[in-house]
Amino acid sequence: MTILLGANAVGAVAGIAFALVGGVRPAALSESATPTAGERFYGWMYATRGVPLGVAALVAPLAWPGPAAALVLCAAAAAQIGDAVIGVATRKTTMIAGASLLTAIHAATAVATA
């Protein structure tokens, strides 16, 4: 259980970091030479979802183990499924792998803490 909580914490912090990078430097994630206004807009939209959800996924299993934590972690896993699907659509293998791994970690932690 401790290893799973640790993996969840590391994954949540990584998700927060990528969300912040998406907001502050969208070209780093989109691989564009110069980000467009749309990329900057969607980068900030991603950050406004990713940071609070990442913080919740980090804190919930430690602060409120049980159904509340499981619900938060299921929401985080669902968001990661969406990110993996976007990775498939854009053929970004690192996005597919990272989001799929975080989906599995969040889901396993949800089951373990419920």
Side-chain angles (χ1 to χ4, degrees), residues 14 16 42 64 92 101:
I16 293 165
Y42 283 104
W64 314 290
K92 293 186 183 279
L101 178 62

Side-chain angles (χ1 to χ4, degrees), residues 2-3 10-11 13 28 32 45 47 50 62 64-65 69-70 74 79 83 95 100 107-108 114:
T2 303
I3 292 172
V10 169
V13 169
S32 298
M45 284 185 61
L62 304 172
W64 314 290
C74 286
D83 288 346
M95 187 174 184
S100 297

Side-chain angles (χ1 to χ4, degrees), residues 12-102:
V13 169
I16 293 165
F18 276 98
L20 289 172
V21 168
V24 176
R25 297 193 49 128
L29 299 182
S30 69
E31 301 171 4
S32 298
T34 304
T36 65
E39 285 175 307
R40 287 189 298 276
F41 174 76
Y42 283 104
W44 280 113
M45 284 185 61
Y46 173 60
T48 59
R49 171 199 60 101
V51 172
L53 194 53
V55 170
L58 174 66
V59 172
L62 304 172
W64 314 290
L71 180 62
V72 168
L73 290 168
C74 286
Q80 292 299 334
I81 289 170
D83 288 346
V85 169
I86 293 168
V88 169
T90 58
R91 295 186 176 113
K92 293 186 183 279
T93 55
T94 54
M95 187 174 184
I96 297 164
S100 297
L101 178 62
L102 285 178

